[in-house]
C-alpha cells in the first residue's frame, strides 16, 4: 500500500503517517519514504495487514493526497506507481533518462589508460555522454581476464571527467559496491547477478542510480521484482533496466534478443529501458541494425561496446565496434532519429 503525500506535505506529516500506520496494525513490518520528483510517497510493507482499516485511518491525516493499492507484486517499478523524472547529473553534464533515447558506449573491459582515454575522447567528440567499461568482469572462464579492479575504476573516472561524461560500471559483489559507487555515476548490475538480492539491496543503499540487466533466463516480471529490491532501498527511485538478450536454443546469435519485450515493459513499468545489442548479437556486424531497431522501438537508451582495436581486446572483441564504425553508426542513428522524430543523443 502506498500513501501519496501532497506536494506541500511537511516531514512531520510524513513521520505521522509512518507512526500511525505501525501503531494501527502490527502486521506492518516496515515503512519507507520514497522521494519522487513531484511528491513523496510512504510505502507500507508487511503481509496480511487490513488494507481497508488502514486506508480509513490514514486517508484523513494531514498531508495525504491519496492512497493507492498496487496489485502487481512489484510496486515501485509498477506503472501504477506513477512516473518520477530520472535525471543523472555530474558537473556540467546531465542526462535525462525518461523519454529520450540516450547512447552509452565504451569498451567491455577497462584495459589500460590509453585504451579508455582514446575511447572517451572519440565517443565524447560525437556527443556521447555516457562512458561504459567494466573493472570487474563476470567471465565464464576463471582463466580469462577478470578486469583491473580499482585501478580500472580510477582511470575510467579520470577519462569520464576529462571528457565530461557520466560513467557506468558493474559491481559484481556486495564487498565492492561502496568502492564502485565512489567512482561510478551509475552502478551496473550484470545479467548473471540479476537475482543476487543482497547485491541489489546493497546497490540500492548507495542511493546511486543503478542499471539492472535482465538475467539470461529471467521473465520481465522477475526483472521488475529485482528492480524493486533496489528501488525499495533508494530514497529516490533511480533504476534503469537493460535488455541484452536471453538464452534460448537458437545458436545464430550469442543470445536471443527479445526486442518486443519493450512493449510488455511499457505496460508494466515506468522505468526507463535500455537495450544492449552487443551482448545480444555477439557479432559487431549486427550491432548497427539492432540499434536502429531499438531506436525505432522507442527504447530509452542503447548501450554498445566499442574498442580502439577490437582485434586486441581482452574481452568481447568480436562484438565491439571500432571507434570509426561507432562514429558511422552514431551519425546514422542521429539521422534516423530526425526522420522519425525521436529525441536521440
Ligand atoms: C557488460 O555489459 O559489461 C556485461 C558483462 O554484460 P552482461 O552482464 O549483460 O553479460
Ligand atoms: Mn562485454
Amino acid at each position: 500500500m502506498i500513501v501519496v503525500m501532497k506536494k506541500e506535505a511537511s516531514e512531520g506529516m510524513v513521520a505521522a503517517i509512518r507512526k500511525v500506520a505501525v501503531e494501527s496494525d502490527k502486521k506492518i513490518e516496515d515503512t519507507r519514504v520514497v522521494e519522487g520528483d513531484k511528491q513523496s510517497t510512504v510505502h507500507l510493507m508487511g503481509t496480511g495487514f487490513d488494507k481497508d482499516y488502514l486506508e480509513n485511518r490514514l486517508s484523513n491525516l494531514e498531508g495525504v493526497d491519496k492512497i493507492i493499492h498496487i496489485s502487481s507484486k512489484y510496486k515501485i517499478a509498477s506503472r501504477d506507481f506513477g512516473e518520477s523524472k530520472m535525471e543523472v547529473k555530474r558537473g556540467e553534464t546531465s542526462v535525462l533518462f525518461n523519454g529520450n533515447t540516450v547512447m552509452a558506449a565504451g569498451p567491455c573491459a577497462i584495459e589500460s589508460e590509453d585504451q579508455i582515454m582514446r575511447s572517451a575522447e572519440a565517443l565524447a567528440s560525437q556527443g556521447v555522454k555516457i562512458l561504459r567499461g567494466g573493472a570487474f568482469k563476470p567471465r565464464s572462464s576463471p582463466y580469462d581476464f577478470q578486469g583491473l579492479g580499482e585501478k580500472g575504476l580510477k582511470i575510467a573516472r579520470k577519462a569520464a571527467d576529462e571528457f565530461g561524461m557520466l560513467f557506468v560500471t558493474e559491481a559484481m559483489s556486495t564487498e565492492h559496491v561502496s568502492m564502485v559507487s565512489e567512482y561510478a555515476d551509475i552502478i551496473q548490475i550484470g545479467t548473471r547477478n540479476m537475482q543476487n538480492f543482497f547485491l541489489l539491496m546493497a546497490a540500492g543503499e548507495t542511493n546511486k542510480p543503478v542499471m539492472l540487466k535482465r538475467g539470461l533466463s529471467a521473465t520481465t516480471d522477475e526483472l521488475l521484482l529485482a528492480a524493486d529490491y533496489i528501488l525499495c532501498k533508494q530514497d529516490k527511485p533511480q533504476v534503469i533496466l537493460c535488455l541484452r538478450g536471453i538464452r534460448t536454443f537458437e545458436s545464430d546469435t550469442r543470445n536471443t534478443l527479445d526486442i518486443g519485450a519493450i512493449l510488455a515493459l511499457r505496460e508494466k513499468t515506468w522505468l526507463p529501458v535500455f537495450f544492449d545489442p552487443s551482448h545480444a548479437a555477439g557479432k559487431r556486424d549486427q550491432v548497427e541494425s539492432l540499434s536502429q531497431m531499438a531506436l525505432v522501438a522507442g527504447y530509452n537508451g542503447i548501450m554498445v561496446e566499442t574498442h580502439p582495436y577490437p582485434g586486441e581486446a581482452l574481452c568481447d572483441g568480436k562484438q565491439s565496434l571500432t571507434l570509426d564504425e561507432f562514429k558511422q553508426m552514431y551519425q546514422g542513428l542521429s539521422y534516423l532519429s530526425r526522420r522519425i522524430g525521436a529525441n536521440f543523443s
Side-chain angles (χ1 to χ4, degrees):
M1 191 161 130
I2 298 178
V3 183
V4 183
M5 303 302 292
K6 288 183 179 149
K7 230 189 241 164
E8 64 277 10
S10 65
E11 275 179 30
M13 292 175 195
V14 171
I17 298 292
R18 303 176 85 171
K19 187 164 178 281
V20 174
V22 176
E23 283 171 4
S24 306
D25 195 325
K26 294 282 165 280
K27 289 185 177 147
I28 298 286
E29 287 153 17
D30 198 7
T31 66
R32 282 199 63 81
V33 180
V34 177
E35 302 291 346
D37 59 314
K38 294 194 195 86
Q39 49 204 150
S40 17
T41 48
V42 184
H43 297 245
L44 308 180
M45 290 169 284
T47 29
F49 59 83
D50 187 337
K51 289 185 183 142
D52 294 336
Y53 172 72
L54 256 183
E55 181 160 358
N56 265 334
R57 289 278 288 130
L58 301 177
S59 54
N60 294 323
L61 293 185
E62 221 183 340
V64 174
D65 179 7
K66 59 184 172 188
I67 294 186
I68 51 179
H69 300 280
I70 296 180
S71 52
S72 55
K73 281 182 121 186
Y74 45 89
K75 308 289 179 196
I76 310 175
S78 164
R79 186 152 272 302
D80 296 336
F81 176 79
E83 185 135 345
S84 183
K85 190 164 122 191
M86 221 183 278
E87 190 170 23
V88 183
K89 291 186 183 163
R90 186 181 192 104
E92 308 275 278
T93 310
S94 89
V95 176
L96 180 65
F97 284 89
N98 329 60
N100 303 340
T101 304
V102 292
M103 178 61 82
C108 177
I110 304 154
E111 298 170 4
S112 68
E113 184 156 348
D114 176 64
Q115 173 235 28
I116 198 79
M117 281 292 179
R118 275 173 196 267
S119 304
E121 183 177 17
L123 298 168
S125 75
Q126 291 302 302
V128 177
K129 287 195 180 147
I130 309 169
L131 178 68
R132 63 145 289 144
F136 296 96
K137 295 305 306 175
R139 305 305 302 274
S140 302
S141 163
Y143 309 111
D144 288 341
F145 176 60
Q146 305 288 313
L148 293 181
E150 190 166 13
K151 181 175 166 221
L153 295 173
K154 280 201 173 115
I155 55 179
R157 180 71 264 163
K158 187 173 153 200
D161 285 344
E162 187 153 335
F163 297 101
M165 300 171 90
L166 302 181
F167 171 43
V168 54
T169 193
E170 179 165 352
M172 272 176 60
S173 76
T174 47
E175 71 187 285
H176 291 135
V177 165
S178 76
M179 184 210 290
V180 169
S181 76
E182 243 182 76
Y183 298 96
D185 300 296
I186 302 169
I187 301 173
Q188 181 173 321
I189 302 290
T191 296
R192 290 151 196 83
N193 272 317
M194 189 203 85
Q195 285 185 315
N196 183 338
F197 301 117
F198 287 122
L199 179 59
L200 300 177
M201 290 187 283
E205 271 160 10
T206 67
N207 270 317
K208 282 261 158 134
V210 176
M211 178 180 284
L212 175 65
K213 298 189 90 176
R214 179 181 181 179
L216 278 171
S217 59
T219 63
T220 55
D221 275 7
E222 285 163 342
L223 175 63
L224 295 173
L225 281 164
D228 256 23
Y229 267 93
I230 304 166
L231 289 161
C232 72
K233 294 288 177 193
Q234 290 178 328
D235 291 341
K236 190 167 170 277
Q238 297 188 89
V239 171
I240 300 148
L241 306 173
C242 182
L243 303 185
R244 45 79 76 210
I246 48 177
R247 180 66 66 82
T248 69
F249 49 80
E250 182 56 74
S251 57
D252 284 345
T253 47
R254 182 171 174 186
N255 293 288
T256 297
L257 193 57
D258 185 8
I259 193 161
I262 185 71
L263 303 175
L265 283 166
R266 278 282 173 266
E267 283 182 14
K268 296 178 187 198
T269 184
W270 62 275
L271 297 175
V273 187
F274 259 60
F275 176 88
D276 168 353
S278 307
H279 289 91
K283 303 169 185 164
R284 92 170 52 89
D285 59 3
Q286 293 186 358
V287 169
E288 179 167 9
S289 302
L290 290 174
S291 300
Q292 290 168 351
M293 291 180 205
L295 183 63
V296 174
Y299 281 82
N300 301 97
I302 303 169
M303 183 162 80
V304 301
E305 288 185 340
T306 60
H307 198 287
Y309 318 105
E312 292 169 24
L314 298 179
C315 186
D316 286 349
K318 278 199 204 132
Q319 66 198 34
S320 300
L321 300 175
T322 64
L323 295 170
D324 278 345
E325 284 167 341
F326 177 82
K327 182 174 169 186
Q328 287 224 335
M329 179 184 90
Y330 190 78
Q331 289 176 355
L333 290 171
S334 299
Y335 174 75
L336 176 61
S337 69
R338 289 194 294 276
R339 296 288 304 264
I340 63 172
N343 198 349
F344 172 74
S345 61

